[in-house]
């Protein structure tokens, strides 16, 4: 056929008798090494019934206690969830809640009371929970400037903050961006038997955020000064590193339903205490039908009330034990000795193979 | 066969019967008249400087086979890279990532692409560099060039110009296409080996023009001037048209004066030639075809999977963007916090359709993780490493030639594990093209106790098999009877441990004793002059004399040893002469008219040199299948000595010449069965008058001119070669390459089919078929040939019809065959094949061929080899492998799915065209059964896993979209995603692809049946692929939803903080990394420290990365700043969640593999267990038994031969027993 010419004769040209060639040949012999010969020592674990059953049992034994422990911890958490978005709107505005919330004249203060069902050990964490609020929307998430938040020198670095980057006269907004602009601005005041309870805002934000991401020399500037007012205003005399509510808010939530830490009450709340909350209901969730909830919760080692984790662990542990038992039963009923050659394909299906008869 | 392969000095052409006289004395003298396009080349001989300027400037003799040069490399290589759809997609994504549409930062798109493309390009560059080096080697070879004034000097090949006069010496390659001017022989002929061009090993004669004969000395070229006008460069090897203008005369040129580049000068001291075509103009370069780029079956299927994933990608992107458009239109106006009235077109609620279209682009980029960008590059890395292992395999190193196996293209490694049909060349591949005189039968008695390789191997194999057999059927009396005590007495275990390989080594040791090439005869009765004491000494003498005289060889004095070497037309003849020499009849001289033989063992004791006058020589042709010489001995007696195919000779015996016929026939059958080539020897005594009468007629026929000449000669010769007296027969072993029968046997056991395609004649091919156990006694041979009567009488149609009828009849016969053990062999020759390969018949032919256990195609041209290969490849749809050593195999090697070249012999053409090269045929077993099997499984598992991990990861992005209003926000940090494919999950899967072994190489070889997992495609069928994809889907669902539920709204740590997007994203990503790495750990069955390092190292790397990333400036790490240290690591919830998710993700797979192993184990599972519990050591009997059972049922190979024998014996035994013992149970029924 078509010879593939040219370079082809290169190999053929090496003279057989040439001693140099012979030497070269000699060196062509691959050196033996366990690596190149693919003979490296290896462990070749196989899934013996023993391994299978004991690993399932092991999973069961580990998972069920973890599940029980976390379920137990979760049970100990006392949680009060109080939805107030509708209730805090006066009856006359119920049909047009948006008008109520957008109006400057309406009285936004709203007082709610509820009973503490169980004793709540301090610290009692106060959360606000929003619903149907897309803090994870790409437009929203991107609209911030970490540089600007961090140091005063980068104050004008607002390129990523569109559309809330500069004021009408082109001076930078600090903090810029939609996230800061839409800062949550409902406030809660708590009192028991007409005694005000202090709401501590200490350590509600991540320490690293406060120390490294929000500059202590960056002060709010031109914030909420445009025609469109988003959410809360900031005290321009407090540096951003101290604006914990802002810091918490700016950790965008992963899901459209989220809770954020508002503060904490550092006294125990006894059971059946009547807790009075004075809510400044300012934040507009009415336009998109989002719920607002006030949540008081204690925590345990796994955090807040989270039965799912415990249940999942127990279920999985139980499933593992069930699998272990069923494998065990199957092995007892229909054992297959390991390495039994009768299971080799040529023994199971001799038709295609040698058959001396 | 070749015409004159006789030393030219003898000018013996008159002796040769069928040699035509110098062509065209009358008609061709006129110069060719041509002008116009296609014939414009003018060469001024010995004036190369004329050709350095336009318009006579021709290309230089520099050749280049590289794909790129320094300037074109970048654009061309980049273009090549982006011809891959996936890469193009990623390029588009990378470009778009510079626009605001992109969901993540540009660097996270561009960096992996640059990495991947850069790596592939580096590989290209390296390969091209190697080609460049090889070209350089050729280009810098030195050739002797006329430098002027009759002085020759050396110049590198690349500086040879058209018109140069070149002197080429013996065994050198021609540096360009030359016009032969003169040679060291008086009549200006030279011998050329064209192996590199057409793979033919025989030498071809080239002849210079008469006028240039005097130019046979360096000095004569001082003022030599001539002009050649000839055709333009073209690829036709066998044509040449041109005129030679010399001394004002014009002479026509034809191909017999043209010496082609890359062919070699043989048997001629030197030649002078003028360069006509240089470099890429030369015929061989014009013939060079780009070897087609081949892709493996798995890769082609992988493309389909990628298309599926692309479809999935488009579908989910469409879902996303429709969702986005809907959300933007109906809900976004209410989301005041996004300032919906103040947006760009990307999020414009007033133009939802436009935003949707923008978002579609975003989504296509975002979900790009479904398509593993690193897949191609990982596969490439893995294959290169696999190829290195193949190259480094010490078991495939050939000590003799010093060659290792070479994976020349690494992209077919896994295809080696799926081969179904092997198409093999014969000469040089299966055989060494070396004949050994092994046995002979003289005067009805057989001599020669040596046994052929086949016999040896078969005997050993039989011993093993009967042993196993015997163990199994210890109550079966047959085995004692048939095998005797020797097998039983040896310790059962010891005997069964004998490997086939030991057969090879034992043979090797033997060979050391026989240093004489071409002679393996062992029989004291004939050696050392002992034959004279035999009863039929006179017949033996005659026999040996025939060997020494009846041939066309030339002796060549070997100065080192002092004896003679023989330049023989065929290796058979060479071995006869060697044998004759060893027996004491040394052929020592050939003159124009006589042959001199030195006889050592004559009664006088002194060696005598006898002269035999050669009166006539009736040449061998494939049609005649015999050759004869008519000689006059020193006593003046005239003899006709004849040797030829047994059937031909037996037909021509005289009544009184049939004395030994019966015994000789018996011996010939035995020899044939042991795979030997046989020839019968006969003679007849002629009376002077009888001879002269015949001779005059013969001379008349010989000198006649015209179309009848050959027929006349044939008739006259035939008249003479009658009434012969049979002397005996020879048996020559066509030496198989080392280990060939064993290898064929093993390959057959692995379920591979072997077709032999050879250019040899049918008898030789059949002999080799027997030698390789492709054929055996009791096999039904189906010979499909063109019936000569039909051919002459009717036209082409009738021939076709006849062949079709033969094919259909035989197919019918096979279908009707009841005996399951019946084996058929199909033997077909080239001429018939021509018709059988026609479109309307090829499917019937293929159908018949597939039903046959062995297929031998003989007398096939290189093109037919390729066509047959294509037929098998396309007709059966299975993977084919072609193996060959010569340039004539190039077509088939390129055509087959995998081409394997045998390196080590001279021609490199096959190797250059091949995908893999091995030094010996026997290495094919290891290449396929070990490396092929491993590579197939590795690549298959690797690709499945790749898709799994990318689906698992990519879909979580999609789910998250549903929670972000389809806005295109990713839950993960850009850097996580960047690292996912490139660092965090790539090394474990590469280690899977490089190091995974289901069973060790010994076990692969011991259980050839394991190979069938490849051709049956058990590891890459759609069931498995979709299984893995389903697993990916499941994993993605678990990872996403468990994490989302766990981190839904509650505080995730005791300090009360809730999880933000980065905490959720990082936890999910941790889960993905751990889950997919644990998954691969479950998939692997072979852990060296490397796998441990990579798998567990990947998980560790993730944590280290997270730690380091968290430590960088928050401007860089953003929300991931100190995420591990501050937020996640102290939270038990994080650890609980990851543990839960990882276990949940891997549980179903664990259950699946446990279940499969328990109830539906595959063969390698059981073997792993046997090895694990060392049962093979404890219960060696079981191990050996299973090993022998693990063979596919074969109808070829000596296993089959042994089986047939056993069946035969058992049949005999049962016949014997049935009348006496009626209660015999049928064992094993």
């Amino acid at each position: 056929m078509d010879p593939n010419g040219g370079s082809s004769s290169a190999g053929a040209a090496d003279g057989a008798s040439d001693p140099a060639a012979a030497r070269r040949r000699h060196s062509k012999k691959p050196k033996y090494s366990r690596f190149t010969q693919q003979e490296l020592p290896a462990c070749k674990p196989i899934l013996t019934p023993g391994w299978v059953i004991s690993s399932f049992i092991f999973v069961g034994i580990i998972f069920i206690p973890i599940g029980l422990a976390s379920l137990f911890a979760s049970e100990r958490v006392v949680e009060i969830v109080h939805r107030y978005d509708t209730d805090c709107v006066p009856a006359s505005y119920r049909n047009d809640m948006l008008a109520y919330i957008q109006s400057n004249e309406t009285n936004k203060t709203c007082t709610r009371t509820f009973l503490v069902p169980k004793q709540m050990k301090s610290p009692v964490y106060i959360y606000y929970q929003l619903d149907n609020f897309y803090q994870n929307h790409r437009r929203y998430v991107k609209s911030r400037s970490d540089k600007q938040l961090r140091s005063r020198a980068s104050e004008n670095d607002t390129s990523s903050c569109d559309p809330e980057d500069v004021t009408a006269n082109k001076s930078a907004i600090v903090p810029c961006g939609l996230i800061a602009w839409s800062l949550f601005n409902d406030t809660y005041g708590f009192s028991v038997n007409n005694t005000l309870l202090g709401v501590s805002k200490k350590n509600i934000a991540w320490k690293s955020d406060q120390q490294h991401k929000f500059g202590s020399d960056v002060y709010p500037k031109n914030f909420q000064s445009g025609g469109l007012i988003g959410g809360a205003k900031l005290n321009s005399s407090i540096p951003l590193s101290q604006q914990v509510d802002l810091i918490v808010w700016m950790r965008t939530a992963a899901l459209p339903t989220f809770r954020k830490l508002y503060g904490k009450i550092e006294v125990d709340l006894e059971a059946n205490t009547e807790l009075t909350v004075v809510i400044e209901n300012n934040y507009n969730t009415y336009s998109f039908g989002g719920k607002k909830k006030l949540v008081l919760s204690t925590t345990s080692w796994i955090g807040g009330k989270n039965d799912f984790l415990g249940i999942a662990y127990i279920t999985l542990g139980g499933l593992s034990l069930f699998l272990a038992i069923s494998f065990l039963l199957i092995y007892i009923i229909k054992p297959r000795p390991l390495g039994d050659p009768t299971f080799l394909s040529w023994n199971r299906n001799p038709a295609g193979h040698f058959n001396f008869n | 066969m070749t015409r004159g392969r006789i030393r030219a000095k003898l000018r013996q052409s008159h002796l040769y019967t069928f040699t035509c006289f110098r062509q065209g004395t009358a008609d061709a003298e006129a110069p060719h008249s041509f002008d116009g396009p296609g014939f414009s080349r003018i060469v001024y001989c010995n004036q190369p400087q004329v050709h350095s300027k336009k318009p006579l400037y021709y290309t230089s003799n520099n050749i280049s086979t590289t794909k790129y040069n320094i300037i074109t490399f970048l654009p061309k290589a980049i273009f090549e890279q982006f011809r891959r759809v996936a890469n193009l997609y990623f390029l588009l994504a990378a470009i778009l990532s510079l626009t605001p549409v992109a969901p993540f930062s540009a660097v996270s798109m561009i960096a992996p692409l640059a990495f991947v493309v850069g790596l592939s390009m580096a590989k290209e560059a390296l390969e091209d560099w190697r080609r460049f080096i090889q070209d350089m080697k050729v280009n810098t070879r030195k050739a002797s060039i006329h430098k002027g004034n009759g002085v020759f000097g050396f110049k590198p090949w690349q500086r040879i110009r058209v018109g140069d006069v070149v002197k080429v010496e013996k065994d050198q390659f021609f540096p360009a296409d030359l016009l032969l001017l003169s040679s060291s022989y008086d009549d200006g002929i030279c011998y050329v080996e064209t192996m590199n061009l057409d793979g033919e090993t025989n030498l071809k004669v080239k002849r210079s023009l008469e006028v240039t004969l005097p130019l046979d000395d360096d000095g004569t070229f001082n003022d030599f001037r001539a002009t050649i006008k000839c055709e333009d460069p073209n690829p036709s090897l066998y044509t040449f048209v041109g005129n030679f203008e010399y001394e004002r005369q014009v002479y026509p040129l034809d191909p017999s004066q043209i010496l082609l580049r890359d062919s070699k000068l043989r048997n001629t001291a030197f030649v002078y030639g003028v360069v006509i075509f240089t470099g890429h103009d030369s015929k061989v370069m014009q013939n060079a075809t780009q070897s087609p780029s081949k892709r493996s079956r798995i890769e082609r299927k992988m493309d389909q999977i990628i298309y599926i994933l692309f479809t999935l990608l488009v579908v989910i992107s469409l879902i996303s963007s429709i969702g986005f458009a809907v959300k933007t239109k109906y809900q976004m106006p209410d989301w005041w916090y996004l300032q919906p009235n103040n947006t760009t077109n990307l999020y414009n609620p007033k133009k939802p359709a436009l935003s949707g279209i923008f978002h579609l682009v975003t989504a296509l980029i975002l979900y790009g993780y479904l398509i593993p960008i690193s897949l191609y590059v990982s596969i490439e890395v893995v294959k290169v490493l696999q190829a290195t292992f193949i190259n480094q395999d010490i078991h495939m190193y050939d000590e003799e030639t010093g060659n290792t196996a070479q994976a020349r293209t690494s992209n077919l490694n896994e295809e080696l594990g799926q081969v179904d049909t092997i198409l093999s060349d014969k000469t040089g591949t299966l055989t060494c093209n070396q004949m050994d005189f092994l046995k002979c039968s003289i005067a009805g008695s057989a001599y020669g106790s040596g046994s052929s390789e086949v016999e040896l191997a078969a005997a050993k194999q039989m011993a093993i098999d009967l042993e196993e057999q015997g163990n199994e059927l210890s109550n079966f009396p047959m085995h004692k009877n048939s095998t005797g005590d020797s097998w039983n007495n040896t310790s059962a275990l010891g005997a069964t441990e004998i490997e086939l390989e030991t057969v090879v080594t034992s043979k090797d040791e033997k060979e050391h004793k026989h240093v004489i090439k071409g002679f393996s005869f062992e029989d004291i009765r004939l050696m050392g002059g002992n034959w004279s004491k035999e009863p039929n000494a006179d017949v033996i003498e005659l026999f040996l004399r025939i060997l020494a005289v009846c041939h066309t060889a030339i002796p060549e004095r070997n100065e080192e040893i002092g004896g003679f070497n023989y330049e023989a037309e065929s290796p058979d003849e060479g071995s006869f002469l060697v044998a004759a020499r060893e027996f004491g009849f040394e052929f020592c001289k050939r003159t124009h008219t006589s042959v001199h033989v030195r006889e050592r063992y004559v009664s006088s004791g002194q060696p005598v040199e006898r002269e035999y006058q050669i009166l006539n020589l009736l040449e061998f042709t494939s049609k005649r299948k015999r050759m004869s010489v008519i000689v006059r001995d020193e006593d003046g007696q005239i003899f006709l000595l004849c040797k030829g195919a047994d059937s031909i000779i037996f037909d021509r015996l005289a009544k009184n010449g049939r004395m030994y016929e019966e015994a000789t026939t018996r011996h010939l059958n035995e020899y044939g069965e042991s795979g030997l080539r046989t020839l019968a020897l006969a003679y007849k005594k002629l009376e002077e008058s009888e001879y002269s009468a015949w001779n005059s007629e013969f001379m008349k026929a010989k000198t006649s001119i015209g179309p009848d000449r050959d027929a006349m000669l044939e008739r006259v010769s035939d008249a003479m070669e009658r009434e012969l007296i049979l002397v005996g027969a020879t048996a020559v072993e066509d030496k198989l390459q080392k280990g060939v029968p064993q290898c064929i046997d093993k390959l057959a056991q692995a379920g591979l089919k072997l077709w032999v395609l050879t250019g040899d004649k049918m008898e030789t091919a059949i002999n080799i078929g027997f030698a390789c156990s492709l054929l055996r006694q009791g096999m039904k041979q189906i010979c499909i040939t063109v019936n000569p009567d039909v051919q002459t009488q009717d036209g082409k149609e009738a021939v076709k019809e006849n062949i079709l009828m033969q094919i259909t009849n035989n197919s019918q016969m096979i279908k009707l065959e009841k005996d399951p053990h019946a084996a058929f062999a199909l033997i077909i020759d080239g001429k018939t094949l021509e018709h059988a390969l026609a479109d309307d018949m090829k499917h019937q032919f293929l159908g018949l061929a597939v039903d046959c256990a062995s297929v031998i195609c003989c007398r096939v041209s290189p093109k037919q080899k390729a066509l047959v290969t294509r037929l098998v490849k396309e007709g059966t749809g299975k993977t084919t492998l072609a193996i060959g050593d010569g340039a004539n195999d190039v077509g088939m090697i390129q055509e087959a799915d995998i081409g394997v070249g045998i390196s080590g012999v001279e021609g490199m053409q096959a190797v250059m065209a091949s995908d893999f090269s091995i030094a010996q045929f026997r290495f094919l077993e290891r290449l396929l059964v070990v490396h092929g099997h491993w590579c197939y499984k590795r690549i298959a598992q690797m690709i499945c896993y790749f898709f799994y991990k990318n689906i698992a990861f990519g879909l979580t992005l999609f789910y998250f979209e549903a929670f972000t209003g389809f806005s295109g926000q990713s839950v993960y940090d850009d850097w996580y995603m960047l690292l996912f494919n490139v660092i965090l999950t790539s090394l474990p899967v590469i280690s899977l692809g490089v190091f995974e072994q289901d069973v060790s190489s010994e076990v692969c070889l011991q259980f050839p049946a394991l190979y069938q997992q490849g051709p049956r495609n058990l590891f890459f069928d759609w069931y498995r692929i979709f299984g893995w994809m389903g697993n990916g889907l499941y994993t993605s669902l678990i990872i996403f939803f468990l994490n989302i539920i766990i981190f839904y709204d509650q505080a995730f740590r005791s300090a009360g903080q809730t999880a933000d997007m980065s905490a959720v994203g990082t936890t999910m990503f941790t889960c993905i990394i751990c889950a997919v790495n644990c998954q691969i750990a479950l998939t692997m069955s072979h852990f060296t420290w490397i796998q441990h390092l990579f798998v567990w190292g990947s998980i560790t790397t993730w944590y280290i990365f997270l730690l380091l990333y968290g430590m960088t400036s928050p401007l860089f790490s953003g929300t991931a700043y100190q995420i591990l240290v501050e937020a996640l690591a102290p939270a038990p919830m994080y650890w609980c969640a990851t543990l839960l998710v990882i276990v949940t993700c891997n549980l179903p797979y664990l259950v699946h593999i446990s279940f499969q192993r328990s109830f539906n184990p595959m063969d390698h599972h059981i073997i792993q267990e046997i090895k694990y519990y060392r049962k093979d050591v404890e219960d060696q009997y079981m191990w050996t038994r299973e090993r022998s059972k693990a063979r596919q049922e074969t109808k070829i190979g000596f296993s089959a031969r042994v089986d047939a024998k056993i069946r035969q014996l058992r049949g005999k035994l049962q016949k014997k027993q049935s009348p006496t013992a009626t209660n015999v149970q049928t064992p094993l029924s």
Side-chain angles (χ1 to χ4, degrees), chain B residues 718-778:
Chain B
D718 189 69
M720 178 48 101
E721 292 164 321
R722 288 195 175 279
E723 302 292 305
L724 305 173
I725 296 162
L726 183 67
V727 177
T730 57
V732 172
E733 183 173 17
D734 185 357
K735 268 197 79 66
L736 292 178
Q737 300 242 359
K738 215 159 137 192
V740 164
Q742 291 86 343
C743 180
I744 289 178
D745 199 37
K746 283 270 182 162
L747 291 175
Q749 288 168 11
L752 293 160
K753 292 175 200 75
L754 185 75
W755 291 33
V756 174
L757 310 178
T758 172
D760 274 314
K761 49 189 193 284
M762 197 176 256
E763 297 75 39
T764 324
I766 290 175
N767 272 328
I768 286 302
F770 274 103
C772 307
S773 300
L774 285 172
L775 302 176
R776 62 182 148 84
Q777 217 74 21

Side-chain angles (χ1 to χ4, degrees), chain B residues 233-291:
Chain B
N234 65 62
S236 167
L237 289 176
Y238 305 107
T239 62
F240 178 81
V241 185
N243 283 336
F244 183 69
E245 294 175 27
Y246 182 55
E247 291 168 347
R248 278 180 235 121
Q249 286 273 344
V250 181
Y251 306 90
L253 297 174
D254 62 57
S256 70
Q257 282 106 34
I258 304 301
L259 309 171
L260 298 177
R261 182 185 171 123
D262 275 352
S263 50
K264 206 177 193 182
L265 185 66
R266 297 304 289 268
N267 286 358
T268 313
F270 61 83
V271 294
Y272 290 102
V274 175
V275 176
I276 303 178
F277 297 120
T278 45
H280 289 276
D281 283 348
S282 59
K283 302 247 180 198
V284 66
M285 291 306 289
Q286 292 273 320
N287 261 297
T289 43
Q290 278 288 329
S291 37

Side-chain angles (χ1 to χ4, degrees), chain B residues 451-466 487 500 503 673-674 741-742 745 770-771 773 1197-1199 1201-1203 1205:
Chain B
S451 34
S452 70
E453 227 163 81
V454 184
E455 283 176 304
L456 272 175
K460 279 275 177 10
Q461 180 63 27
M462 186 115 105
I464 299 164
D465 277 40
L466 284 176
W487 309 128
L500 278 179
V503 179
E673 171 67 334
S674 23
Q742 291 86 343
D745 199 37
F770 274 103
S773 300
F1198 39 66
S1199 307
R1201 204 181 268 199
V1202 172
D1203 294 339
K1205 202 127 213 168

Side-chain angles (χ1 to χ4, degrees), chain B residues 100 107 209 396 482-483 610 624 1121 1155:
Chain B
V107 67
L209 291 174
M396 292 199 289
S482 61
T483 58
R610 285 189 213 273
R624 284 161 39 81
Y1121 181 67
F1155 192 82

Side-chain angles (χ1 to χ4, degrees), chain B residues 157-213:
Chain B
W157 277 26
Q158 56 184 345
R159 292 188 37 218
I160 293 175
R161 280 175 295 175
V162 172
D164 268 327
V165 174
V166 186
K167 181 180 183 182
V168 180
E169 292 184 7
K170 193 175 172 181
D171 294 336
Q172 282 182 344
F173 287 99
F174 300 117
D177 289 354
L178 311 175
L179 170 74
L180 174 64
L181 293 176
S182 61
S183 76
S184 52
Y185 294 116
D186 290 346
D187 50 0
I189 65 162
C190 70
Y191 296 95
V192 173
E193 185 193 88
T194 54
M195 185 120 120
N196 275 342
L197 300 178
D198 54 15
E200 290 178 29
T201 47
N202 52 7
L203 305 186
K204 298 198 172 62
V205 186
K206 299 280 178 176
R207 225 178 264 276
S208 72
L209 291 174
E210 296 272 1
V211 286
T212 55
L213 284 181

